[in-house]
Each structure stands twice: as C-alpha cells, then as structure tokens.
Amino acid sequence: MMKKILCLMALSLHLTAGHAQQNGDARKVLDATAAQITGKGGVKADFKADSFSGGNLQGSASGTMCIQGEKFQMTTPDMITWYNGETQWSYVKANEEVNVSVPTPEERQSMNPYAFVNLYKDGYDYTIKETTLRGKPCYEVTLTAKDKRKSLRTIILDIDQRTYAPMCVRMQQRDNGNWTRIAIHQFHTGQSFKAAVFEFNPKDFPQAEIIDLR
C-alpha cells in the first residue's frame, strides 16, 4: 500500500544545532514555506522516504510527486498513486491491481509530505532553531500536537533559510510511535498540471484489475 511506502522515516539527521528562536519566528517561517507550496501553480519534487520502527529500518522508497492544492500524484518504482481531491487510485505494479478508495484526512496526511501546510495553523505548538542540512543553513521547526489524540504527534520540518523550500519532513505517529522521514530534492514551484495528471486513466493500464474499496 502507498501508505506503507510513505510512512517511512529515520529517527535522526546529522544536523548542527544553532540558537533557539521564539515561536513567532517559527510561524513566520512556516507561513513563508506554505506560501511556496500553495502559491501560483503546482509543485513537483523528488523525494526519498525512510522508515524506522523501534530504531530498526523498515524500508525505503524514492519517487516523484506532483502537488496542486489537495491533489497529488506520486510515482515510485513499485506504485503509482493519484488523488484528485476526492478519490484515490493506487496502482500496484507487481500484480497490476488498482485500489480505488476515498482516504480519510489522517490517511491523506500520512501520504502527502506537504500536509503540514494546513496542519500547523491549528492544534500545534511550535519551536524553531537554526541548523544545517545537506550543507545548507536551514530552520528546524518542531510542531507538537496540543491534543494527544491527533494521529500525528510530532512533525519536524527542515526548511532552507534562503528559499524557504522544505528540505525534509519527519512525522511521528500517535498510535505506534513510528517515525517517517521524507527527504525532498529538486523542489520546483510554479508548475502547470492538467487535471488528468491527478486521475487514473484505465486506458493507460488495460491489464489492470480494478478493486473498488469505496
């Protein structure tokens, strides 16, 4: 399942901590990053996801993601997922199956590394510090859920200080305490996508078995 592929994380990054800043500064950085993602046009990025459970690596996946608003399309070597804002299609290449579903808000959050754009504005406390990631100065913003019942307990964002582009997103699940790390590369804004990019076209996969889970 795509959710398993994207619920991948690493418990730590090799970061150099800087001076802590006030929460108001964290909000300004998050607002600037959200503006990058939700601005005119869409976003296209390459990513690498790693997952740990109990300190043990569970799996890795790399791929490309196209995002426009709540819509997204994600391609990995094993799977392609389309979400048009309502319906999700997940094509499993190994067995040529397409699972059709309507994901819950929690499921969308776990699949979309940019879900924090809507999350941080309500229900989270945040702190910020300056650090370095992949040789670039960045802000490390930590979001902590006020409500312990939220599915995402902690979200840590590494944001490029110069461009405010997200470089890495780490998320901790409430139920099992597992973490997901999604490292973001080749981040491009202002992209133009046709609506068809976010919808499964059965003509492109004539041999696929469609399993409707709605």
Side-chain angles (χ1 to χ4, degrees):
M1 296 291 293
M2 179 58 71
K3 183 176 180 180
K4 291 182 180 180
I5 291 176
L6 289 180
C7 281
L8 306 168
M9 68 66 91
L11 290 175
S12 62
L13 293 174
H14 297 292
L15 300 171
T16 304
H19 299 290
Q21 295 176 298
Q22 299 301 313
N23 287 354
D25 293 328
R27 180 60 186 254
K28 291 177 182 178
V29 170
L30 291 171
D31 286 344
T33 302
Q36 287 277 340
I37 297 168
T38 60
K40 185 177 180 181
V43 172
K44 185 175 183 180
D46 295 337
F47 70 88
K48 183 179 184 296
D50 298 290
S51 172
F52 280 81
S53 176
N56 298 314
L57 180 67
Q58 299 299 302
S60 298
S62 297
T64 301
M65 195 168 197
C66 300
I67 302 171
Q68 187 145 10
E70 293 187 354
K71 302 177 183 180
F72 64 86
Q73 189 254 64
M74 188 179 311
T75 301
T76 71
D78 300 317
M79 183 176 293
I80 306 174
T81 295
W82 302 260
Y83 178 66
N84 65 0
E86 178 180 354
T87 302
Q88 176 181 299
W89 298 264
S90 294
Y91 171 65
V92 183
K93 297 180 181 180
N95 53 18
E96 295 195 31
E97 288 182 355
V98 178
N99 294 311
V100 187
S101 63
V102 177
T104 65
E106 291 78 13
E107 288 171 335
R108 293 199 302 272
Q109 290 167 11
S110 69
M111 291 181 291
N112 189 339
Y114 301 129
F116 76 88
V117 168
N118 296 316
L119 288 176
Y120 80 91
K121 296 178 182 178
D122 183 43
Y124 284 86
D125 292 320
Y126 28 81
T127 59
I128 186 172
K129 64 181 180 181
E130 295 184 0
T131 185
T132 303
L133 177 63
R134 301 199 290 268
K136 293 183 178 181
C138 67
Y139 299 111
E140 181 183 290
V141 182
T142 300
L143 289 77
T144 305
K146 297 178 182 179
D147 186 344
K148 301 302 182 183
R149 294 171 295 180
K150 280 187 175 291
S151 60
L152 291 177
R153 179 188 302 169
T154 304
I155 305 171
I156 302 175
L157 305 166
D158 295 297
I159 297 167
D160 189 312
Q161 286 190 18
R162 184 178 62 86
T163 65
Y164 291 100
M167 299 176 65
C168 186
V169 182
R170 287 171 279 168
M171 300 176 285
Q172 184 185 34
Q173 302 294 318
R174 180 197 67 192
D175 294 338
N176 52 27
N178 292 346
W179 283 81
T180 302
R181 182 187 71 181
I182 302 176
I184 301 160
H185 306 275
Q186 301 298 322
F187 180 82
H188 300 289
T189 59
Q191 303 295 296
S192 179
F193 301 117
K194 295 182 179 179
V197 170
F198 306 105
E199 297 188 349
F200 169 74
N201 186 347
K203 294 181 180 180
D204 295 334
F205 305 89
Q207 304 301 318
E209 178 185 1
I210 298 177
I211 302 173
D212 199 328
L213 302 176
R214 290 173 292 184

